[in-house]
Amino acid sequence: MIATLDLTDIPAEDEAFRAEVRAFLKQTIGHLEPDIRARSWMGFNADFSRSLAERGWLGLTLPTQYGGAGKGPFARFVLSEELLAAGAPVSAHWIADRQSGPLILKYGTEAQKQFYLPRISKAEAFFCIGMSEPNSGSDLASIKTRATRTDQGWTLNGSKIWTTNAQHSDYMIALVRTSGETADRYKGLSQIIVDLSLPGVTVRPINDMAGDAHFSEVFFEDVQCPVDALIGTEGDGWAQVNAELAFERSGPERLYSSMVLLESWLLHCRQTGADDARTAAALGTIVSWLAVLRSLSISLTAKLVRGESPAIEATLVKDLGTEIEQAIPRIIGDVLGSTPEAEIPASLRRTLVYLEQLAPSFSLRGGTREILRGIIARGLGLR
């Protein structure tokens, strides 16, 4: 059952971190055009990630003994909000910092922690997630990619799709079948850390409608992974993945994909003196949704601080967040389109067009709407 979320504030010491981050971002990336800022968490820039690492801002929640900063999830929430608000290119380190590192910390062996976590904290190891597959999509229980145990380790065969930034990553944490058949659904699944430079790995980028290539297809043909590529317990992959997805689905990036468009539109409204009823109603709708969703996301962060795994609650927030992320370009586009004779700044138009093209993918990444609602229904005891 879904538990009640407590109304929570970000602690004062973590809020104080916000000013330091803003000063750094002002100095390093300065002003960016809105349509560039809109690409923030899909923007890949390894040098920028390394500049964060030099300040100790990668692996922020990892223990100091593994090269992390030993801070809590609230500090990372503040850092994430500021990076996304500024339009910083965070994609290089995003997945490793957000979920691969915490996953390895929770389920990895001591040797895995010693090897991977310092590299993540130094921006020396970038990760992607190997979950979705052709003909499976977000139905992760139906995956077919298989890792077969051998005397030397694991032999990997199969493929993944919609893998974010696989073409730039060093490692993938792949959900694979190590026993049983596809019909067994949740049984026999395990997680394997795959070195993407190994022979037999082929990565093919996929171009999206906006002309960017954030996603990839990844093929495995008799890839020989070592014994210690297995992370956690063989056969417990389903439970591990659901714990990992709580990190992916609860964060502020699920709310902020269209934020730069809202900011650009508000600036345009102020400059033109727009105060009509249609504009006010649109703004009221967006702000009221965002205020609630941000409170929910902060409450989930409090659960992570307490060491809980709010998988169901995070799924609910992700589903609601996707609704508003997709609605913002539509709502603003409708308001602007209601006065076609009015001039629109070029930067606002470019940002709107980009997000209108990208918005359909918001309900695919991190789990489709249909899959998420099935998980929520099970959480409510309705399935």
Side-chain angles (χ1 to χ4, degrees), residues 260-337:
V260 63
L261 174 62
L262 175 61
E263 181 184 319
S264 298
W265 176 58
L266 283 176
L267 177 63
H268 172 64
C269 290
R270 293 190 183 104
Q271 290 174 338
T272 58
D275 61 355
D276 57 283
R278 185 163 191 161
T279 298
L283 179 59
T285 299
I286 294 171
V287 171
S288 58
W289 281 4
L290 287 174
V292 172
L293 281 166
R294 184 173 185 270
S295 293
L296 289 170
S297 189
I298 292 173
S299 296
L300 287 180
T301 303
K303 282 184 167 285
L304 295 177
V305 170
R306 295 195 293 269
E308 299 174 26
S309 181
I312 303 298
E313 295 90 338
T315 303
L316 180 64
V317 171
K318 197 275 179 183
D319 185 45
L320 293 171
T322 298
E323 288 286 320
I324 184 61
E325 281 191 323
Q326 289 183 326
I328 288 174
R330 184 177 67 249
I331 292 171
I332 292 176
D334 286 347
V335 174
L336 292 173

Side-chain angles (χ1 to χ4, degrees), residues 5 19 22 41 56 67 77 84 165 191 203 207 227 268-269 273 287 316 328 334 349-350 352 355 358 366 381:
L5 292 172
R22 285 183 180 178
W41 73 277
F77 189 98
L84 295 172
N165 279 331
Q191 288 184 293
V203 180
N207 290 321
V227 174
H268 172 64
C269 290
V287 171
L316 180 64
I328 288 174
D334 286 347
R349 186 186 302 111
R350 289 197 304 271
L352 176 61
L355 285 169
L358 192 65

